[in-house]
Amino acid sequence: MAKLLSCVLGPRLYRVYRDRGPARPSGDGDEAAEGAQDGSWESYYQPRTLEKHADSILALASVLWSISYYTSPLAMFYLYRKGYLTMSKVVPFSHYAGTMLLLLAGVACLRGIGRWTNPQYIQFITILEDSHRIGTPEIKKKLASYNFDFRSWPVDFRWDEASSRSDSRGISLLRPEPKHRSVANGFLHAIKKLPCQIASYMVAHTFGRRMLYPGSVYLLQKAVMPMLLQGQARLVEEYNGKRAKLLACDGNEIDTMFMDRRESSEPHGKKLVICCEGNAGFYEVGCLPTPLDAGYSVLGWNHPGFAGSTGVPLPQNEANAMDVVMQYAIHRLGFLPEDIVVYAWSIGGFTATWAAMSYPDISALVLDASFDDLIPLALKVMPESCRGLVTRTVRQYLNLNNGEQLCRYQGPVLLVRRTKDEIITTTVPEDIMSNRGNDLLLKLLQHRYPKVMAEEGARVVREWLEASSAVEEASVYSSYEVDEDWCLSVLSSYQAERGGHFPWSVGDDMTPEGRRQLALFLARKHLRNFEATHCTPLPPHAFRLPWHL
């Protein structure tokens, strides 16, 4: 009876990996049969008829519930206008709802019976129960042979496991700036701004965060679930991926996948690339394949509320998730910070720059199609009349200040700008100067080299950024006759004499011509163009580590 109850309440099982062998057989016939016996490829889990049909009914009910949840404000308004929200109408409706819940509970019991009669599921649920009760490496290795609803996966690493860390980084990761004002003025100001505060909170926590992170919407995740399962299967089957659940300091569970190339013949295998996905990206189908196919060890993770990760993708939760991912990479996977590269695409630039700011010893930071600040992009898609509300909402609840965080990192940085980007431009894709990647580069260079990036330096860099093709870019660069050897010698001499901590005062006693040459040289070393739209995958050959002296 206990096993039957476990089958009723147990998670949905998607796939069973017979073995996590090194390669899939490429032939067919006898070779494929031999591969299946060797266990070098995976197979779908085959549910019994009763479980299959019950699962379909429960999945349909889940989708209908999600649709009703998102449309509930309109439905309530309609019912109110029609006079249906009265006790005489609500009581019969509650009876219907109760009957429906009982029917769904019966369907869940029938699904449990179908699982109970399936030896494959019985074996899985036994291993899952053992993993929660015992949790030995052998049991976890057996559990890794199954792909199932990640909510039931046991926690593999906690944010507080690294006892050697002296700080409590996860308690308050994004501290607001202190406000110096009298208590009376502060109270009156708070009362005056209360309606605006309420409006900003409602906007941020209803449609605001869903517009910013559409990948957290349940219906979208349901639609892409087959692609996610296929992506997981590829990572596990072809790259021996290791899936793990990390517990962040806010209680959110973070879904991760690690591909270890340290023992392979790949020259870059000892470097770990941590991938930060976009606002509708998942490690299963996002930017992770770029460094993976380039031969690096790779750690991917999903935003809070995406796929197997729990929670909602707000800035604080994002920072908490990135923190536990970094701790997992260092303290469990055994990578030194000096061997870790953080790679981000689009909105992933927020967590990437946060990691670079908070873990300054990492090897490098690569930002692809990212931006400096969210406000210009938010204003682009909202009515002009909402400018004040949008600005206040972003600053208080959705403040993705990538540029500010980037300037707090001292290490090597590479920015990849998409020349046909339609997402992070504030006008049209053809207007390359409205690409917010330009502003990210300018903020970085102006912080690190303020003397070089004075009026003349900033002007020539903007002229170089206006080039929309490699030919135009080279033409601008050559027109100023940049002497790269001289630029390198100037920077190397300054670093040898005064150290490498930014900002530098190099260029203080330099001629305008020298500042122009140095500004163009630095811009070219920190930004590379990629002729593509925002969502075009970056090819592996285009992934490279940043320049450094």
Side-chain angles (χ1 to χ4, degrees):
M1 185 59 69
K3 191 64 69 176
L4 177 59
L5 182 61
S6 297
C7 291
V8 172
L9 302 177
R12 184 175 181 180
L13 180 59
Y14 298 110
R15 293 175 184 258
V16 179
Y17 300 101
R18 303 186 183 188
D19 193 359
R20 294 150 67 96
R24 172 185 295 193
S26 57
D28 50 17
D30 294 338
E31 276 186 82
E34 184 179 349
Q37 293 172 3
D38 292 343
S40 59
W41 53 288
E42 51 82 25
S43 65
Y44 281 99
Y45 165 66
Q46 299 295 334
R48 297 293 171 87
T49 303
L50 191 58
E51 178 188 356
K52 182 178 180 180
H53 292 308
D55 256 333
S56 300
I57 295 173
L58 293 174
L60 177 61
S62 177
V63 171
L64 292 176
W65 170 256
S66 180
I67 294 174
S68 64
Y69 172 79
Y70 290 117
T71 58
S72 57
L74 295 176
M76 294 295 289
F77 179 75
Y78 175 81
L79 294 174
Y80 174 77
R81 292 292 302 270
K82 293 295 184 180
Y84 292 133
L85 295 182
T86 60
M87 289 299 296
S88 60
K89 300 290 181 63
V90 171
V91 171
F93 176 77
S94 65
H95 292 163
Y96 296 141
T99 303
M100 185 63 65
L101 290 175
L102 287 176
L103 289 174
L104 291 176
V107 172
C109 292
L110 292 175
R111 181 180 66 176
I113 294 174
R115 292 171 171 176
W116 189 49
T117 60
N118 191 333
Q120 207 172 20
Y121 193 90
I122 291 295
Q123 183 183 27
F124 156 70
I125 202 68
T126 302
I127 294 174
L128 180 61
E129 290 174 345
D130 290 343
S131 69
H132 285 284
R133 187 175 63 254
I134 305 173
T136 61
E138 292 77 12
I139 294 295
K140 288 191 174 183
K141 185 177 180 180
K142 290 181 180 179
L143 188 65
S145 299
Y146 298 91
N147 190 346
F148 56 97
D149 190 341
F150 202 63
R151 288 174 293 183
S152 300
W153 191 287
V155 172
D156 297 287
F157 183 85
R158 294 175 51 90
W159 69 279
D160 55 356
E161 279 190 27
S163 58
S164 61
R165 292 170 61 87
S166 59
D167 62 344
S168 55
R169 190 186 302 271
I171 295 177
S172 181
L173 295 172
L174 301 175
R175 298 179 177 87
E177 293 295 327
K179 297 178 174 58
H180 304 287
R181 57 166 66 99
S182 67
V183 176
N185 288 340
F187 178 74
L188 292 175
H189 183 76
I191 293 296
K192 182 180 178 181
K193 294 293 184 181
L194 185 59
C196 297
Q197 297 282 354
I198 294 174
S200 294
Y201 181 88
M202 293 295 292
V203 169
H205 290 81
T206 53
F207 66 87
R209 68 172 176 83
R210 291 177 174 87
M211 287 180 63
L212 190 58
Y213 289 94
S216 64
V217 177
Y218 173 77
L219 292 177
L220 175 63
Q221 294 187 35
K222 198 73 176 177
V224 301
M225 181 59 70
M227 294 173 59
L228 300 185
L229 294 176
Q230 185 178 2
Q232 287 176 13
R234 174 179 176 266
L235 296 175
V236 171
E237 181 185 26
E238 298 182 16
Y239 297 98
N240 200 25
K242 177 185 177 183
R243 201 177 185 190
K245 177 184 284 189
L246 316 184
L247 184 66
C249 65
D250 51 18
N252 288 336
E253 297 170 345
I254 307 303
D255 182 6
T256 69
M257 183 73 79
F258 170 56
M259 279 63 63
D260 193 353
R261 316 291 286 279
R262 284 174 288 189
E263 302 301 324
S264 70
S265 59
E266 296 288 349
H268 306 303
K270 298 191 182 301
K271 283 277 188 183
L272 174 68
V273 177
I274 298 180
C275 297
C276 303
E277 300 291 347
N279 65 353
F282 305 80
Y283 70 70
E284 295 91 338
V285 292
C287 66
L288 181 147
T290 295
L292 184 62
D293 293 339
Y296 293 87
S297 294
V298 178
L299 175 60
W301 62 283
N302 282 329
H303 297 284
F306 282 51
S309 296
T310 62
V312 293
L314 295 172
Q316 180 71 65
N317 298 347
E318 289 278 301
N320 294 340
M322 190 68 204
D323 189 52
V324 74
V325 169
M326 291 295 299
Q327 292 189 48
Y328 175 67
I330 296 169
H331 298 288
R332 176 62 62 85
L333 300 181
F335 286 90
L336 296 174
E338 295 81 7
D339 293 326
I340 294 176
V341 177
V342 179
Y343 167 53
W345 173 61
S346 191
I347 209 169
F350 172 73
T351 47
T353 54
W354 182 90
M357 172 184 71
S358 304
Y359 293 83
D361 294 331
I362 63 170
S363 175
L365 177 65
V366 181
L367 301 178
D368 179 12
S370 196
F371 53 89
D372 64 319
D373 192 11
L374 181 61
I375 285 182
L377 300 175
L379 293 174
K380 165 190 170 183
V381 298
M382 297 297 289
E384 179 64 26
S385 58
C386 298
R387 171 178 288 270
L389 177 62
V390 170
T391 302
R392 185 168 53 250
T393 301
V394 170
R395 281 288 175 255
Q396 291 183 354
Y397 300 105
L398 305 170
N399 191 24
L400 306 186
N401 54 338
N402 301 352
E404 179 184 341
Q405 294 184 159
L406 178 61
C407 290
R408 298 183 184 181
Y409 174 56
Q410 296 284 319
V413 176
L414 176 63
L415 308 180
V416 179
R417 182 181 67 163
R418 309 296 184 98
T419 58
K420 302 176 183 177
D421 202 309
E422 73 282 15
I423 301 298
I424 64 168
T425 49
T426 54
T427 55
V428 293
E430 292 76 19
D431 182 11
I432 197 169
M433 284 308 291
S434 71
N435 188 312
R436 297 304 299 187
N438 302 333
D439 301 87
L440 191 59
L441 173 69
L442 289 169
K443 286 182 178 180
L444 176 66
L445 295 183
Q446 286 170 347
H447 169 75
R448 291 188 170 190
Y449 311 97
K451 305 297 183 181
V452 174
M453 292 298 294
E455 294 181 6
E456 278 298 301
R459 183 187 64 78
V460 296
V461 169
R462 287 191 176 92
E463 182 182 346
W464 179 76
L465 288 170
E466 286 182 9
S468 58
S469 67
V471 175
E472 293 179 16
E473 178 187 333
S475 175
V476 173
Y477 194 78
S478 62
S479 67
Y480 286 95
E481 300 179 348
V482 178
D483 187 343
E484 296 192 350
D485 292 335
W486 175 81
C487 293
L488 277 174
S489 67
V490 169
L491 295 173
S492 300
S493 299
Y494 182 93
Q495 184 183 47
E497 293 175 6
R498 306 192 188 185
H501 188 81
F502 296 110
W504 287 10
S505 60
V506 62
D508 193 16
D509 54 352
M510 195 176 291
T511 64
E513 182 185 358
R515 291 197 192 100
R516 288 193 292 266
Q517 288 194 43
L518 203 53
L520 281 175
F521 175 81
L522 290 168
R524 197 178 195 184
K525 292 297 184 183
H526 285 82
L527 183 141
R528 290 186 178 274
N529 283 325
F530 177 48
E531 295 189 14
T533 57
H534 187 79
C535 296
T536 303
L538 188 70
H541 66 81
F543 181 83
R544 60 191 67 184
L545 298 184
W547 166 84
H548 62 90
L549 281 173

